[in-house]
């Protein structure tokens, strides 16, 4: 991942569209592009099966938050740290890591919601 000067985001937050998010993921987190490419089809299939747009909305919300985090190198590094701790730490460390991951995701979703208003 490219770093930015003075801790600024690498790119502006893109609109919450599949095309804009795909371009952002390709630019700031290319290793995640295969997962991104696979998931819209899965969400679309789930939406068709249930006649419900919730899976597509969930996909867009999840990837919008992912881009929000990944475009900020320090925040992305912190998230990776807690993900690694959750995977390799003791039960106590894993619980703390889960709480920290939740905090990061909650903060990202709140920031995005505030930007929409």
């Amino acid at each position: 991942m490219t770093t930015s000067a003075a801790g600024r985001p690498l790119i502006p937050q893109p609109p919450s569209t599949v095309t804009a998010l795909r371009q952002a993921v390709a630019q700031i987190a290319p290793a995640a592009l295969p997962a991104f490419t696979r998931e819209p089809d899965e969400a679309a299939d789930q939406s068709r099966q249930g006649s419900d747009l919730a899976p597509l909305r969930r996909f867009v919300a999840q990837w919008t938050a992912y881009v929000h985090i990944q475009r900020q190198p320090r925040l992305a590094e912190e998230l990776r740290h807690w993900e690694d701790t959750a995977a390799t730490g003791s039960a106590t460390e894993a619980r703390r890591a889960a709480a920290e991951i939740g905090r990061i995701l909650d903060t990202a979703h709140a920031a995005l919601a505030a930007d929409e208003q």
Side-chain angles (χ1 to χ4, degrees):
M1 179 183 314
T2 313
T3 57
S4 65
R8 289 188 298 255
L10 298 173
I11 62 171
Q13 181 67 36
S16 295
T17 66
V18 174
T19 300
L21 291 170
R22 180 182 297 115
Q23 291 170 346
V25 169
Q27 185 175 355
I28 62 174
L33 201 52
F36 180 92
T37 302
R38 179 180 57 254
E39 289 181 20
D41 291 337
E42 293 170 3
D45 288 344
Q46 290 172 358
S47 288
R48 277 192 296 275
Q49 290 170 358
S51 298
D52 182 10
L53 292 178
L56 288 170
R57 288 186 186 116
R58 201 169 26 256
F59 165 80
V60 170
Q62 172 189 337
W63 282 95
T64 300
Y66 177 84
V67 167
H68 176 81
I69 293 166
Q70 295 301 315
R71 58 192 268 280
Q72 301 174 68
R74 288 185 188 131
L75 186 57
E77 183 179 329
E78 180 183 0
L79 179 61
R80 279 190 301 279
H81 164 75
W82 290 118
E83 289 172 336
D84 291 345
T85 300
T88 62
S90 68
T92 300
E93 292 168 330
R95 280 190 295 278
R96 170 135 191 255
E100 292 298 327
I101 291 167
R103 178 190 56 79
I104 292 168
L105 293 172
D106 288 347
T107 301
H109 284 286
L112 292 164
D115 286 347
E116 289 179 5
Q117 295 177 355

